[in-house]
Amino acid sequence: MEKKVSVVIPNYNGLAFYRDCLLALREQTRMPDRIVVIDNGSTDQSAEAIEREFPEVELLRLGTNTGFCGAVNAGIIASYDMDYVILLNNDTKADPCFVEELLAAIIKNDRIFSCQAKMLSMADPSVMDDAGDYYCALGWAFARGKGKPADRYERPVSLFFSCAGAAIYSVKILREIGKFDENHFCYLEDTDVGWKARINGYRNVFVPTAKVLHIGSATTGSLYNDFKVRNSSRNSIYLIYKNMPSFQILLNLPLLVFGFSVKAAFFFRRGFGGVYMKGIVNGFRLCRKGAEEGKKVVFKSENLPHYFRIQLELWVNCVRRLIG
């Protein structure tokens, strides 16, 4: 029986991007069974344009901006009758084999939670934008291969997590472990869900044959800004609280303190120090909210081998990050 797959695209004032994104999906060698655009209360008429120009697309209007997490969760719920769901940013242009290659990769093994596409720079497709994402014991998430020649990344590899800008997920596993945590709003939410899957023994994989061009920072508008720095620093604290049991936090505490100190110094030099520190404070407040809501991943002894494997990766990824 052929597996069913939907493509979910969050949209917030994406008038400049939606057309290329949706036209590329019309050219797929394996057409998705459903395309769902989740509009986060856009005010630029992009939702109306999508509805008018792409009648095959299911447009779901949320009315207000629920962030990336709220949007993709609405799309995931709408895809509960699918086997897999592809999350795709609206500032992308997918290769014709994009859907086919992601689907072929994830169906190979029922222990695969997600597969990420090879994300290339829209400005220069010979340069990598993201070849899969890692997280390290310094408390840093980072994109593999960013800014490097794309032809160096031609082999499938295991990842710490998949960038949700162009990745396929198992709906069955999402229903088991839970969707994206809307407390994140945006930033590091894909780290969180991928980490949670790893704790439960699932895998995340990079698929170089599934390619997509990506503009990057299209919604927030720049590499660094108050919104991005504040939310990223807040969520970086919440991420650790959620996914590390107490013994693992204590084990990594010296490296975490060092890593957050380096980040603080970095942002102070660029004029975002106060915003960064406010985000850290808000992160601890968010941990308290998460505790009240029961969001922390419950430690289970049967998952101890997975924690050991993850911890080894956290140390190895420090080296990967520092040597570039």
Side-chain angles (χ1 to χ4, degrees):
M1 184 176 178
E2 188 176 34
K3 300 296 185 182
K4 292 185 177 182
V5 59
S6 66
V7 176
V8 170
I9 303 168
N11 178 67
Y12 178 67
N13 290 340
L15 190 63
F17 313 111
Y18 77 90
R19 187 172 288 108
D20 284 346
C21 179
L22 292 174
L23 285 175
L25 292 179
R26 281 181 173 173
E27 303 299 322
Q28 293 298 300
T29 56
R30 198 293 190 187
M31 294 299 296
D33 298 279
R34 179 181 297 156
I35 301 172
V36 185
V37 171
I38 313 296
D39 187 72
N40 252 337
S42 295
T43 57
D44 66 348
Q45 302 302 306
S46 55
E48 290 77 7
I50 291 167
E51 196 168 42
R52 181 174 61 251
E53 297 175 36
F54 296 90
E56 72 273 23
V57 169
E58 297 178 28
L59 180 66
L60 179 58
R61 298 172 186 255
L62 298 185
T64 59
N65 188 356
T66 63
F68 180 85
C69 298
V72 298
N73 278 348
I76 290 167
I77 292 170
S79 302
Y80 271 170
D81 58 339
M82 299 283 110
D83 298 290
Y84 301 100
V85 57
I86 293 173
L87 303 185
L88 184 65
N89 281 2
N90 64 353
D91 62 337
T92 59
K93 184 176 181 180
D95 179 83
C97 296
F98 170 74
V99 172
E100 181 179 2
E101 293 294 338
L102 283 180
L103 187 58
I106 200 168
I107 64 175
K108 288 180 180 178
N109 191 315
D110 61 8
R111 301 304 295 177
I112 297 177
F113 169 58
S114 72
C115 293
Q116 184 193 318
K118 184 176 185 177
M119 301 178 73
L120 305 168
S121 168
M122 185 79 77
D124 182 358
S126 68
V127 174
M128 282 303 314
D129 181 66
D130 193 318
D133 289 345
Y134 291 136
Y135 184 79
C136 71
L138 294 167
W140 302 346
F142 58 99
R144 173 175 172 259
K146 191 171 184 68
K148 296 183 178 179
D151 57 9
R152 295 184 187 178
Y153 301 90
E154 299 291 349
R155 293 187 300 109
V157 296
S158 292
L159 304 170
F160 197 91
F161 68 99
S162 294
C163 171
I168 190 170
Y169 293 84
S170 164
V171 172
K172 178 182 178 181
I173 299 173
L174 278 168
R175 298 188 76 161
E176 175 192 335
I177 69 172
K179 304 184 296 298
F180 287 74
D181 183 351
E182 295 183 24
N183 280 338
H184 281 94
F185 192 78
C186 61
Y187 301 120
L188 297 176
E189 68 288 319
D190 46 7
T191 318
D192 175 59
V193 76
W195 193 341
K196 186 163 53 174
R198 294 290 312 280
I199 290 170
N200 285 277
Y202 295 107
R203 297 173 57 209
N204 304 298
V205 179
F206 171 63
V207 181
T209 51
K211 301 175 183 178
V212 63
L213 301 178
H214 183 222
I215 294 175
S217 298
T219 299
T220 57
S222 61
L223 185 59
Y224 300 117
N225 55 62
D226 285 3
F227 177 83
K228 189 171 185 178
V229 172
R230 182 175 59 251
N231 280 276
S232 295
S233 59
R234 180 197 67 172
N235 292 346
S236 63
I237 296 293
Y238 184 54
L239 180 73
I240 293 165
Y241 157 78
K242 278 195 63 182
N243 294 287
M244 284 190 185
S246 298
F247 72 84
Q248 195 174 24
I249 293 175
L250 290 173
L251 177 64
N252 290 292
L253 192 58
L255 284 172
L256 290 171
V257 170
F258 176 75
F260 278 92
S261 298
V262 169
K263 279 288 185 76
F266 174 88
F267 285 116
F268 269 107
R269 286 198 301 270
R270 282 158 179 77
F272 292 100
V275 175
Y276 179 81
M277 296 310 297
K278 286 179 182 177
I280 295 295
V281 172
N282 290 338
F284 284 104
R285 291 174 179 162
L286 190 58
C287 292
R288 185 166 57 189
K289 181 175 184 285
E292 293 169 353
E293 296 175 349
K295 295 289 189 179
K296 188 173 177 67
V297 177
V298 177
F299 176 78
K300 298 177 182 178
S301 58
E302 60 263 32
N303 287 333
L304 195 56
H306 308 316
Y307 281 106
F308 282 134
R309 191 174 296 112
I310 289 168
Q311 183 57 52
L312 180 60
E313 286 186 39
L314 293 175
W315 286 328
V316 170
N317 290 341
C318 287
V319 178
R320 281 191 173 119
R321 182 64 182 91
L322 295 174
I323 66 176

